[in-house]
């Protein structure tokens, strides 16, 4: 997930003016560029990629890309932001009309897990698992801050459900962290195929963890 280290320019003059609605052709070009960029990132990783390589893959000139993005980090951030927005939408749908905190916590945890289980490419994107390994250097302070906000937003329903069950804010944060850690650990095992070593099923393990966690939380609450 995003880290914060490298600085980014205060302004991005090559991007479409804020508030100006892009034309259909402009939106199509942007989509073509993003699709091409994803293919480049998948093969070269963030460090090995370049705007020139993305331009070549998309069929546009580097100058054309600069009209939309000022750096490869900006392109990566756009892709990751889209992924996190979809994750948030999926979780919101999963918990819609679920009233009890226990069931909301379970549904939120499973929706988070299932999104990445069903979209392994987004797991690669979010954890920088493309070529180069898990050593993200960040996409710029402002971009990292916004992406981390989106990630935290996807986990907020878990925190809210834990609070509604009656735990303290500190404990709710710990519960959210434990769900995130367990889910991502299972996802990496499933994604790499290592889970077969244990003859285990990732979905079943995640569901069992959610059940055990909520039972333990209920036991912590004074009658």
């Amino acid at each position: 997930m995003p880290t914060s280290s490298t600085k980014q320019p205060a302004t991005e003059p090559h991007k479409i003016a804020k508030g100006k609605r892009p034309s259909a052709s402009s939106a199509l070009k942007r989509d073509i560029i993003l699709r091409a960029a994803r293919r480049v990132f998948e093969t070269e990783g963030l460090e090995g990629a370049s705007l020139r390589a993305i331009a070549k893959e998309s069929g546009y000139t580097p100058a054309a890309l600069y009209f939309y993005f000022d750096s490869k980090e900006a392109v990566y951030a756009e892709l990751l932001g889209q992924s996190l927005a979809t994750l948030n939408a999926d979780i919101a749908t999963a918990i819609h009309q679920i009233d009890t905190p226990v069931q909301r916590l379970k549904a939120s945890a499973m929706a988070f897990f299932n999104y990445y289980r069903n979209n392994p490419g987004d797991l690669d994107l979010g954890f920088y698992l493309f070529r180069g390994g898990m050593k993200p250097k960040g996409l710029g302070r402002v971009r990292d801050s916004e992406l981390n906000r989106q990630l935290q937003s996807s986990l907020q329903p878990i925190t809210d459900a834990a609070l509604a069950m009656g735990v303290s804010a500190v404990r709710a944060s710990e519960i959210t962290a434990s769900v995130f850690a367990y889910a991502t650990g299972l996802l990496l095992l499933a994604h790499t195929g290592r889970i077969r070593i244990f003859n285990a099923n990732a979905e079943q393990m995640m569901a069992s963890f959610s059940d055990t966690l909520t039972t333990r939380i209920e036991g912590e609450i004074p009658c």
Side-chain angles (χ1 to χ4, degrees):
M1 294 298 174
T3 60
S4 180
S5 57
T6 56
K7 293 183 179 180
Q8 70 182 73
T11 59
E12 297 180 351
H14 299 291
K15 296 180 72 175
I16 297 173
K18 188 175 182 180
K20 183 178 180 180
R21 184 176 181 180
S23 65
S25 60
S26 177
L28 177 59
K29 287 180 181 178
R30 186 183 182 88
D31 184 61
I32 291 172
I33 291 169
L34 288 171
R35 289 175 182 273
R38 183 147 188 162
R39 293 192 295 272
V40 172
F41 288 132
E42 286 174 354
T43 57
E44 301 298 331
L46 177 58
E47 290 190 18
S50 67
L51 282 182
R52 185 173 295 278
I54 294 171
K56 182 178 180 180
E57 180 70 20
S58 67
Y60 294 114
T61 65
L65 260 67
Y66 272 107
F67 182 75
Y68 299 94
F69 302 101
D70 67 350
S71 66
K72 64 180 181 180
E73 287 80 10
V75 183
Y76 199 100
E78 178 73 13
L79 288 168
L80 184 50
Q82 289 181 357
S83 172
L84 290 169
T86 304
L87 168 64
N88 273 277
D90 277 14
I91 293 174
T93 298
I95 64 176
H96 183 58
Q97 295 184 334
I98 297 179
D99 296 324
T100 67
V102 170
Q103 293 304 317
R104 284 178 70 85
L105 196 155
K106 290 181 181 180
S108 300
M110 290 306 302
F112 181 91
F113 174 85
N114 286 329
Y115 175 78
Y116 286 112
R117 185 72 174 99
N118 296 330
N119 300 279
D122 286 51
L123 183 69
D124 290 333
L125 186 71
F127 282 88
Y128 301 82
L129 295 179
F130 298 135
R131 182 179 176 183
M134 297 177 67
K135 51 178 182 180
K137 293 185 177 180
L139 302 172
R141 182 176 57 82
V142 175
R143 296 187 188 108
D144 288 339
S145 178
E146 171 57 23
L147 292 168
N148 283 327
R149 184 198 64 76
Q150 286 183 272
L151 175 61
Q152 290 169 343
S153 177
S154 74
L155 297 168
Q156 190 61 44
I158 297 172
T159 304
D160 291 342
L163 289 170
M165 291 179 70
V167 304
S168 68
V170 171
R171 180 63 178 133
S173 181
E174 292 174 347
I175 290 166
T176 304
S178 70
V179 172
F180 179 74
Y182 194 86
T184 53
L186 275 179
L187 286 163
L188 288 172
L189 283 174
H191 189 40
T192 59
R194 294 294 189 271
I195 199 164
R196 290 194 294 270
I197 296 174
F198 308 101
N199 193 30
N201 180 284
E203 290 90 343
Q204 291 176 2
M205 289 184 67
M206 187 66 202
S208 178
F209 172 80
S210 299
D211 288 339
T212 301
L213 177 62
T214 52
T215 298
R216 186 164 66 245
I217 295 171
E218 289 178 312
E220 297 173 4
I221 309 303
C223 297

